Amino acid sequence: MPEGDTVFQAARRLHAALAGAELTRTDFRVPRYATADLSGERVDEVVARGKHLLVRTPAWSIHSHLKMEGEWRVFAPGERWTKPGHLARVVLETSAAVVVGFELGTVELLPRADEAAALAYLGPDLLGEEWGASPEAAAHSAAEAVARLAATPPDIPVAVALLDQRNLAGLGNVYVNELCFLRGIRPDRPIGDVPDLPAVVDLGRRLLVANRDRVARVTTGVDRRGQRLWVYGRAGEPCRRCGTRIERGEIGRAVADSVTDPQERVAFWCPNCQR
């Protein structure tokens, strides 16, 4: 399930394949940009912004969002694609690589100058460079995330507030469920009743940072199949801490990635460890 760590890794792979190279061919397989041609543009960088991925040239920003099924793959010129061509939404070619975005949920071609405004609604990116720029920058980002969570209507479930990318960018349903367990908070607890929001934000960032270089997500500290997560996807199984059966339910209507994309979210919790 694509979350902030997945997009961070995808951006790193695409940056290695595209940065500094000239685009020799582009193919946007979405009606709005079917005639767009960025051939001759040189790629400056590829970066992640929460769950959003940006391929930047001096003039343009190719903005994509994976949603549930999306994926970017890198091929050598002439190499057979490993997914059907009809699933491709964007094809970017250089002399050394063919980069294909399959089943992308969102594809936009933005003037570079308009990129910041298009993503201005997003909260602080938990994997953003600003956290490592300086202690002051990190403190500012953390304080902004806490302030946005605190400004959420107090009766909103904490899981919904954490999934809302307007509060903080990068957390998806897996991390939110695991974060709630680690903090001992039921995911349906109203955000107004959640103590120590700074600790919640700090742990959310630490979970993402700990997994941004991993192949598989690990929140338990045990990197073995079937032992990596505390509660997510484990309904009916015993809690790894107390043995109580993990419960499953649906939480509210979460604004997951934009103000126009409401979704119900599945939640998992231990009724003993999370009160």
Side-chain angles (χ1 to χ4, degrees), residues 53-82:
L53 191 144
L54 301 158
V55 180
R56 292 169 171 166
T57 75
W60 298 96
S61 180
I62 304 168
H63 166 226
S64 65
H65 192 294
L66 304 181
K67 298 294 184 181
M68 292 295 293
E69 306 295 337
E71 184 179 10
W72 283 93
R73 295 189 180 183
V74 180
F75 305 97
E79 182 181 358
R80 184 174 180 177
W81 294 358
T82 52

Side-chain angles (χ1 to χ4, degrees), residues 173-188:
N173 212 31
V174 176
Y175 281 117
V176 165
N177 278 270
E178 296 295 289
L179 173 56
C180 286
F181 175 83
L182 289 166
R183 291 296 303 168
I185 303 166
R186 276 181 60 113
D188 58 354

